[in-house]
Structures are given as structure tokens and as C-alpha cells.
Amino acid sequence: MKGVKSTFYVDKVEEIDVCDESIVVFTGGFYEKPYPVIKPETDHNLENCNSCRKHHELLVKEFKEQLNVFPNCCTRHSKLNELNDFNINDYEDAPLWAADKIMFSYHQIIQHIDSDNWYEEITNYIDYCILSYGCLPPKYGLAFELGNYFSCLLHLIKPKLGNLRSTDISVKLIDKRLNKVISYLESYFENQEQKSKNINLLLSTYNDWYKLFPFELSYFKHLKEKFKLTLPIFNSRKRYNSYLKTTVRELHTKESLIKFLTDTTSSIISNINGFYLFENGKLSNTEKIQLDLILANRKLELDEINLSVNKTKYEYIKTLKKWFKTEKQFLKEIEPLINKKPERENTNTSRPNRTDIAYCIFYLSETKTLLLENPFPSDKAWKEIGEKYDRNWKNIQTTYNVVCLDRNERLKKKKKRNLSYVVENMLQDCQEALKLAKDELKLIELNS
């Protein structure tokens, strides 16, 4: 809840491997003191129901008696005496608040059980009340009177089965809805624990996909960093809680995440493939690409064997295997034709030259979008660049230093041809670097 102070107490620290990175996971829980809730507007309430008012008074009395021995009521709660944030004075009004939350929730259920948006209105208010009890770290027990919230509320709701009437819906439908609310309350803690387990399962499922997808191929290298930083454990559905004033996104199930990853795989390979490279003039050294495809395909087959041991089958593996097969066939068919291109089509084989490459590397490094296996600007990184463009890396490095350190030299009129080539041919897949290059090209044109 916004404005409520929370302190996280760490119980355990561990590292897990996700997408070639070690993520530090802190296990523990929050300490948060309780706070009151806003009374909902309901036709049935404490003001007009004598029975509810008496029940509320009994609850307040019972909870006050329990506060007299809290936190020394049990072994777990007694540990609160050692917690820096705990102050028994924060609980002075907790018995009244606890009784309010039970009765207010009961009235909310009766009010909205026949509404069109009954489930959201009821469960949103229940969630709001549960969070208002505050929370205690693991091994410190439940928040004060939270257990009684569930037991007392269920005690009030269950007798309404078969006895609640509405002018809008049938008794049978009311009972069906009440049973769903009862199930929500009875399985609340179990569902919360399952959500925590699901997060680990979803991270593991995404990690499997990330390691299986052939990012090592030149086709996809530029995407590896993007998907390393993407952990799509939430689906697109959102739920706004008007009482908490927060929007909650729903977690994927394992099945929905696998479908999402299958769709993602199909989208990537549909947009980036041998045909795409050919159309954009980037299909060169077909022998190396074919070798890379064969090796990546074999890696996928071996990974699939390991998964089969665990009896796990992913639909996206079938998609990738089919793609590998058709991609290898395409390159096999097109290679002889590429090697026999007319002479006139090879008149520009000297491009990109070292100056073109130096400009390209400059704009990529300036926008932090230069994707290399080695840290830039180390010699290993320059050697990697030289191999990529089949040029002498030291010559590129020398030219880059001039381009990088001398802006006037970089924006000279005679460099317009190099910068135009870079804009038109080398930065199409990186919009940030392309924009920077275009801006500087405009400067050269203005000064011409």
C-alpha cells in the first residue's frame, strides 16, 4: 500500500543462473504494521443491522483480549520482541480494525454477489483487507488476527448458502458464486505459495528457451542482449484494484509462457533468415553460414536429447528444427548463384572500406549498441571487428581514433560519401545509431 513503511528482512541469499547471468535472490519477508481500511458503501451495514453490530462488538472484545498477551502468545510471535521495527503501540487499535475488516468484507460480499463485476469487487476488497493486516517475516507467524479474518469471514458466509436471495439472479447462481468466494478464501495461502513457486518455474522455462535458441548464429547475435534482459514472466492481462490503487499483472502459466516463446521464435525466424540477408545485401560467406547452421542444429539436437530425458517437449523446438532444415536447403541452392554474380555487381566489393567501418563502429559505440563478444575497445574487440568485415583491424582502429577524437575531421565535406554509405547500408538494424549518423550527415550537408 502506498505510503505504508515496509522493511525487508533477509533470511537467505542464493544465486540462480538465468540467461547466462547470475541473479542474486533474497529469500525472506517484510515487516509491515497494520492499518485501517475504508468502509465500503453497502446497503447492509453495522448502522442498520443489530445482529452484525453485536457480532462486531464480540469480535472487538475477543481481539482486545488476544492483544493483551500479544506478542508473547506463542513462540513465533514472541520473536517480534527482538525485531527493531516492532512496536506494540502500533497495534493499539488493531482489534477494532480487525473486527471492521471481517464485517466490512462480509457486507461487501452480500452487496456485490449479484453484480455484473461481482468477483472483481469482492476479491479486490478481500485483497485490500488482507494486505491491511500488515505482514511479518517468515518464522514470525501470521500478522496479528489475520488467521481470524479467514475463519470468521468463512463462518459468516457459509450459512448464507441456500439462504441468500436476489431479485437479479437465482439462488443456485448465488450459491455458485458464494462457493467461488469461499474457495478463494480457503485456498488463499496455498495460492500465494504457488505463485512464488511459479516464478521460479517460469524463470527456468525462459532460461531453457534462451539457451536453446541459436543466438550464436550471425543472424541473431544482435538479439542476444535484448532477450537476455527480457524476462517475460507476466502475460498481457492486467487487473486494477480500485481499493489498493494498484495495477497487478498476471503471471504466465508454464503453458502460456511456452506458447509465447513459440510465437516469439516464429516471429524471429520469419523476419530474420537467409532471404532477409540476401534482400539486404548481407548474405556473404555462405560456406561459413552453412557450417554455423549445421553446428547450431546439432547443438539443438543434443539439447533436445537432454530435455527428452526429463520428458519435456517444447513446441518451439519443432519450429526451430523445421527452420534449420529449410534454411540449410535455401543456402545450398542459392550459394552457386551468389558465387556467379555478374561482374558489374561486384564493382563495389571494396565497400565497406576501413573508413566506412570506423564511422559505423563510432556511432554504434556512442549509442551503446555495439554488440561484440569482447569488451570494446580492447584489441580482442578490434580483432573481432576485423574478422567480421574481413579487413585489417589495426587500420580500422587507426581510422576510428581519428573519427572519434576529431569532430571537425569527422564532419569534413569529403567524408560525406563515407557517412552516406554507412547510413544507407550499415546501420539499418540499429535505429539509435542510425539517427545519430543521419544527424551528422545533415551537418555535413549544411556546411557543404
Side-chain angles (χ1 to χ4, degrees):
M1 186 79 173
K2 188 175 180 181
V4 178
K5 180 186 175 184
S6 297
T7 305
F8 188 80
Y9 287 85
V10 178
D11 190 41
K12 185 173 68 174
V13 180
E14 59 182 337
E15 288 188 4
I16 61 172
D17 176 49
V18 180
C19 303
D20 299 330
E21 295 286 344
S22 290
I23 297 178
V24 179
V25 178
F26 297 92
T27 303
F30 286 95
Y31 174 81
E32 186 177 291
K33 63 184 182 181
Y35 54 87
V37 295
I38 297 170
K39 181 175 67 172
E41 294 183 9
T42 57
D43 298 329
H44 187 112
N45 52 55
L46 293 176
E47 287 72 31
N48 60 28
C49 180
N50 188 50
S51 177
C52 284
R53 192 160 52 249
K54 286 183 178 180
H55 194 76
H56 180 266
E57 289 170 358
L58 286 172
L59 289 173
V60 173
K61 181 182 178 182
E62 179 185 337
F63 297 158
K64 280 184 177 179
E65 291 174 355
Q66 292 176 9
L67 181 62
N68 288 334
V69 293
F70 181 77
N72 300 312
C73 51
C74 64
T75 304
R76 286 191 169 190
H77 281 152
S78 64
K79 292 167 63 179
L80 288 169
N81 292 309
E82 303 167 7
L83 212 61
N84 291 334
D85 289 274
F86 175 74
N87 185 339
I88 191 60
N89 294 326
D90 293 332
Y91 292 79
E92 183 179 356
D93 295 316
L96 173 63
W97 296 343
D100 285 347
K101 292 162 191 176
I102 292 167
M103 300 310 300
F104 291 170
S105 297
Y106 172 59
H107 297 150
Q108 179 80 346
I109 293 167
I110 294 174
Q111 180 73 23
H112 290 284
I113 199 67
D114 58 355
S115 302
D116 291 338
N117 60 337
W118 67 277
Y119 191 74
E120 288 72 23
E121 280 293 340
I122 291 172
T123 56
N124 280 349
Y125 193 77
I126 288 173
D127 288 348
Y128 168 52
C129 287
I130 291 171
L131 287 177
S132 73
Y133 277 86
C135 53
L136 305 180
K139 301 177 184 177
Y140 284 76
L142 284 179
F144 178 71
E145 295 306 331
L146 178 56
N148 274 326
Y149 173 79
F150 291 95
S151 60
C152 293
L153 187 53
L154 286 166
H155 177 74
L156 290 168
I157 297 171
K158 287 182 177 181
K160 291 296 178 181
L161 289 167
N163 296 311
L164 200 58
R165 300 290 185 271
S166 168
T167 56
D168 297 321
I169 62 175
S170 66
V171 174
K172 185 177 180 180
L173 184 53
I174 288 176
D175 285 355
K176 183 178 180 181
R177 292 181 176 185
L178 281 176
N179 276 318
K180 191 168 182 181
V181 174
I182 290 169
S183 176
Y184 186 81
L185 289 166
E186 289 181 335
S187 61
Y188 185 85
F189 290 111
E190 183 182 329
N191 289 339
Q192 297 306 307
E193 186 178 345
Q194 188 59 44
K195 282 182 182 178
S196 178
K197 290 180 180 178
N198 283 349
I199 290 174
N200 291 333
L201 176 63
L202 294 173
L203 288 174
S204 174
T205 301
Y206 184 72
N207 190 47
D208 285 343
W209 175 83
Y210 180 84
K211 290 188 173 181
L212 279 166
F213 193 88
F215 287 115
E216 67 275 10
L217 287 175
S218 57
Y219 293 7
F220 308 124
K221 272 188 178 179
H222 65 290
L223 295 174
K224 187 171 186 177
E225 196 66 23
K226 172 187 173 182
F227 284 99
K228 177 188 285 190
L229 301 174
T230 302
L231 298 175
I233 62 173
F234 296 99
N235 62 36
S236 59
R237 291 190 296 276
K238 298 178 182 179
R239 175 179 164 184
Y240 178 72
N241 188 317
S242 59
Y243 301 101
L244 288 168
K245 310 297 183 188
T246 58
T247 299
V248 179
R249 292 185 65 187
E250 293 184 18
L251 283 173
H252 268 297
T253 62
K254 182 178 180 180
E255 292 71 24
S256 68
L257 178 58
I258 290 173
K259 183 181 184 307
F260 171 81
L261 294 173
T262 301
D263 292 342
T264 300
T265 300
S266 297
S267 177
I268 294 173
I269 63 181
S270 295
N271 288 288
I272 305 175
N273 44 57
F275 178 74
Y276 164 84
L277 296 179
F278 178 77
E279 287 285 287
N280 288 273
K282 297 179 180 179
L283 190 60
S284 59
N285 200 348
T286 52
E287 285 187 5
K288 183 179 185 305
I289 294 176
Q290 287 187 77
L291 177 60
D292 288 344
L293 281 170
I294 292 169
L295 293 173
N297 187 28
R298 184 55 181 158
K299 177 180 178 296
L300 178 67
E301 290 172 344
L302 294 172
D303 287 339
E304 186 185 15
I305 291 172
N306 291 330
L307 286 173
S308 297
V309 172
N310 298 318
K311 298 181 180 179
T312 303
K313 293 290 184 182
Y314 293 137
E315 188 66 29
Y316 57 75
I317 294 180
K318 296 178 184 177
T319 304
L320 281 173
K321 289 173 73 175
K322 184 177 179 182
W323 178 81
F324 272 121
K325 183 178 179 180
T326 57
E327 196 71 3
K328 287 188 289 183
Q329 184 61 33
F330 170 76
L331 288 175
K332 183 178 179 181
E333 292 174 0
I334 201 171
E335 181 183 18
L337 302 174
I338 290 177
N339 293 334
K340 293 181 180 179
K341 285 194 293 185
E343 287 292 324
R344 61 185 181 83
E345 292 186 12
N346 288 310
T347 56
N348 204 30
T349 54
S350 61
R351 306 298 291 269
N353 57 39
R354 65 183 181 187
T355 305
D356 301 331
I357 299 168
Y359 269 89
C360 178
I361 299 301
F362 171 73
Y363 293 120
L364 290 171
S365 62
E366 283 293 295
T367 54
K368 295 182 173 56
T369 53
L370 179 60
L371 300 179
L372 296 171
E373 293 182 2
N374 297 290
F376 183 81
S378 65
D379 282 354
K380 287 184 177 180
W382 282 114
K383 288 176 183 177
E384 186 180 338
I385 292 167
E387 290 174 3
K388 179 178 179 180
Y389 292 102
D390 196 23
R391 295 286 186 273
N392 185 299
W393 67 270
K394 289 189 176 181
N395 290 340
I396 301 172
Q397 183 187 44
T398 301
T399 308
Y400 169 86
N401 289 335
V402 175
V403 167
C404 179
L405 299 174
D406 192 338
R407 184 172 183 271
N408 292 329
E409 179 65 27
R410 187 170 73 249
L411 299 182
K412 278 186 176 180
K413 180 180 177 181
K414 65 180 182 180
K415 296 294 177 32
K416 179 180 176 181
R417 180 170 174 268
N418 297 104
L419 192 45
S420 295
Y421 179 86
V422 171
V423 166
E424 293 169 7
N425 299 281
M426 301 183 74
L427 294 175
Q428 296 304 313
D429 293 334
C430 187
Q431 294 304 308
E432 292 179 49
L434 180 62
K435 183 181 182 303
L436 181 58
K438 284 182 176 179
D439 290 344
E440 294 212 332
L441 181 59
K442 288 179 183 176
L443 291 176
I444 292 179
E445 291 170 344
L446 286 174
N447 296 328
S448 299

